[in-house]
């Protein structure tokens, strides 16, 4: 039970930091002359946040499934790799379709923000243990 509480706190921290980054990108888009850069970061980060949220939800389901079904022959839930890849493809298509609004390189960088948040969260909380 302790590990589930720890996992829930970790999920909450990661989502909070993603919201902070999204707010920072909105402010950058609104108050700087680099509109396409911040809009690209915003598009990529919104989809990255969606991927983070779905991955966390599926990991939670997988943990519950493993705890309740030890030797079950039924299909185990997946982590949704295909849907995360499809989200990245959607971001690229939108960015290429509307090149005047989105900078494609920053869309790709935005897609990686959730992984950056996970890594930094791990480093900060590893040092506090």
């Amino acid at each position: 039970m302790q590990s589930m509480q720890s996992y829930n706190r970790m999920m909450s921290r990661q989502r909070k930091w993603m919201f902070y980054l999204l707010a920072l990108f909105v402010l950058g888009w609104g108050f700087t002359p680099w509109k396409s850069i911040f809009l690209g970061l915003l598009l990529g980060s919104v989809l990255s946040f969606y991927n983070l949220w779905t991955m966390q939800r599926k990991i939670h389901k997988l943990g519950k499934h493993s705890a309740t079904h030890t030797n079950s022959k039924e299909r185990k839930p997946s982590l949704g790799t295909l849907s995360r890849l499809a989200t990245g493809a959607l971001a690229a298509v939108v960015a290429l379709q509307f090149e005047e609004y989105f900078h494609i390189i920053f869309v790709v960088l935005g897609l990686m923000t959730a992984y950056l948040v996970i890594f930094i969260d791990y480093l900060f909380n590893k040092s506090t243990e």
Side-chain angles (χ1 to χ4, degrees):
M1 192 56 138
Q2 177 67 15
S3 65
M4 185 59 95
Q5 290 172 346
S6 174
Y7 179 72
N8 287 334
R9 281 193 307 270
M10 179 196 65
M11 284 185 354
S12 177
R13 275 192 320 268
Q14 291 172 355
R15 286 190 299 245
K16 178 178 71 171
W17 285 109
M18 284 297 293
F19 278 127
Y20 289 155
L21 278 174
L22 289 172
L24 184 68
F25 296 153
V26 167
L27 289 173
W29 171 71
F31 295 110
T32 66
W34 306 298
K35 305 285 187 202
S36 66
I37 289 175
F38 280 103
L39 208 53
L41 283 170
L42 192 60
L43 173 65
S45 295
V46 164
L47 293 175
S48 182
F49 180 69
Y50 171 75
N51 285 339
L52 176 70
W53 177 69
T54 57
M55 184 174 58
Q56 288 174 342
R57 196 179 70 207
K58 288 182 182 211
I59 288 172
H60 189 71
K61 277 185 188 178
L62 185 65
K64 282 186 175 182
H65 183 271
S66 296
T68 58
H69 296 88
T70 54
N71 289 328
S72 177
K73 297 254 184 205
E74 66 187 59
R75 185 175 166 253
K76 294 182 181 175
S78 70
L79 293 179
T81 304
L82 187 62
S83 65
R84 286 196 309 274
L85 290 173
T87 306
L90 173 68
V93 166
V94 169
L96 292 174
Q97 185 69 32
F98 300 102
E99 287 183 76
E100 63 274 8
Y101 299 111
F102 301 103
H103 195 288
I104 186 70
I105 292 172
F106 288 94
V107 171
V108 173
L109 290 174
L111 284 169
M112 294 187 279
T113 55
Y115 301 106
L116 182 66
V117 165
I118 291 169
F119 181 68
I120 291 171
D121 181 64
Y122 170 75
L123 288 179
F124 278 134
N125 289 300
K126 182 181 178 195
S127 65
T128 60
E129 288 178 356

